[in-house]
Amino acid sequence: MKKSFLLSLIAGSLLAMSSVPAGAQTAPPPQISETMYILPKRGMDDEFKAAVKAHNLKYHPEGPYTAGLRYVEYGEKAGWYVWIMGPTTFASFDSRPDEGAHGDDWNNTVDPLVEEYGTTNLWQYEAEQSFGRDILLKSGNYNLWAIDVKRGEMGRFNEIADKFKKTYESMGNRGFLVYSNLIHTPGTADAAFIASYTSLADWGTDWGVKKAYEKLYGEGSWQTLWKTWDEVVVDFDEELRSNVK
């Protein structure tokens, strides 16, 4: 996905050099989200959540700068929060709220409650490989897999993502979203799969994905899928997250 994104930038540059026919439609800009891990000071979770909520209501209530907060329930960073802004466009990032009153508000109300800031990243939403974004937003919880793809295997990985999307779409009851990591660092994820659930009891049940997958792709295809997965994926980092209200 990352490679396809870079290729699209190159293609876009070449197209810009040529004339565009009148009335021709252009593709919508990529939808980008910024994520930032934050660990509040011990015993200050409630104050931290209240401060971030107040900041978001004041400076990120809606539109291209909408922001929200997620809590990592389980995973390597359990106990951390993830501040998310977007989805928006690259152009909107250039005029985002930053210095002045916005920066002063964060520095004076949120930052004093922060123990540590973690990774900040940019993720591109892959709409054609995703299903049920509205379902996921309403669910309140989601399972995230941040996936490190083997070099040269992104094409085969995209085929896996496409099949998962069609499977969840055929089920119709869970959101399944795919994101591409736009900021590469060694050993980090190239993509993310996100699937919705409503409670831990729900998360712990059989979702019926295997049955739905084999209904689409034939008996035994589920086992073949995971064999291919092992061939194209280095590893993945899983988190269970909940929306902070």
Side-chain angles (χ1 to χ4, degrees):
M1 285 176 225
K2 186 186 299 179
K3 291 182 179 178
S4 65
F5 170 74
L6 293 174
L7 289 173
S8 70
L9 286 182
I10 296 171
S13 298
L14 293 174
L15 286 172
M17 298 177 187
S18 61
S19 60
V20 179
Q25 294 183 348
T26 57
Q31 293 295 296
I32 312 300
S33 292
E34 179 185 85
T35 63
M36 177 171 60
Y37 280 95
I38 309 174
L39 180 66
K41 292 180 177 178
R42 185 180 295 275
M44 303 297 287
D45 283 62
D46 290 343
E47 292 85 350
F48 169 77
K49 288 186 289 185
V52 173
K53 181 179 179 180
H55 175 84
N56 286 346
L57 286 173
K58 191 172 184 180
Y59 294 101
H60 305 274
E62 58 185 3
Y65 309 113
T66 302
L69 192 65
R70 310 290 185 261
Y71 180 65
V72 182
E73 303 275 1
Y74 294 93
E76 185 178 2
K77 286 191 175 295
W80 286 66
Y81 292 81
V82 184
W83 185 84
I84 301 174
M85 188 184 78
T88 187
T89 63
F90 283 121
S92 295
F93 273 101
D94 290 330
S95 57
R96 63 182 295 177
D98 192 6
E99 302 300 330
H102 171 272
D104 290 342
D105 184 79
W106 183 276
N107 292 335
N108 294 329
T109 65
V110 178
D111 187 69
L113 304 170
V114 174
E115 178 68 28
E116 183 179 352
Y117 290 100
T119 304
T120 300
N121 224 331
L122 295 175
W123 295 86
Q124 177 174 310
Y125 175 58
E126 303 293 346
E128 293 186 0
Q129 294 178 316
S130 302
F131 166 77
R133 190 174 188 171
D134 56 334
I135 297 174
L136 188 139
L137 292 174
K138 293 176 182 178
S139 70
N141 303 276
Y142 58 86
N143 189 349
L144 181 146
W145 289 15
I147 306 161
D148 184 7
V149 181
K150 293 179 182 178
R151 182 167 298 186
E153 296 290 359
M154 192 58 71
R156 295 173 72 195
F157 178 80
N158 282 335
E159 292 176 1
I160 292 175
D162 291 338
K163 289 181 177 179
F164 266 122
K165 181 264 180 114
K166 292 175 182 177
T167 301
Y168 277 88
E169 189 173 30
S170 73
M171 294 163 59
N173 61 345
R174 295 185 187 276
F176 174 78
L177 310 186
V178 178
Y179 284 82
S180 296
N181 183 3
L182 300 182
I183 306 298
H184 176 74
T185 55
T188 58
D190 298 295
F193 286 174
I194 302 176
S196 65
Y197 66 94
T198 58
S199 64
L200 278 178
D202 177 38
W203 178 76
T205 62
D206 180 1
W207 293 5
V209 181
K210 175 183 177 182
K211 181 179 179 180
Y213 188 92
E214 293 199 335
K215 185 176 180 180
L216 289 174
Y217 300 107
E219 184 177 354
S221 58
W222 186 249
Q223 182 176 354
T224 302
L225 165 72
W226 291 109
K227 180 181 178 182
T228 305
W229 175 275
D230 289 338
E231 292 172 355
V232 305
V233 170
V234 177
D235 206 346
F236 67 96
D237 186 8
E238 183 174 15
E239 290 182 354
L240 301 187
R241 295 181 182 178
S242 60
N243 295 347
V244 178
K245 298 180 180 179

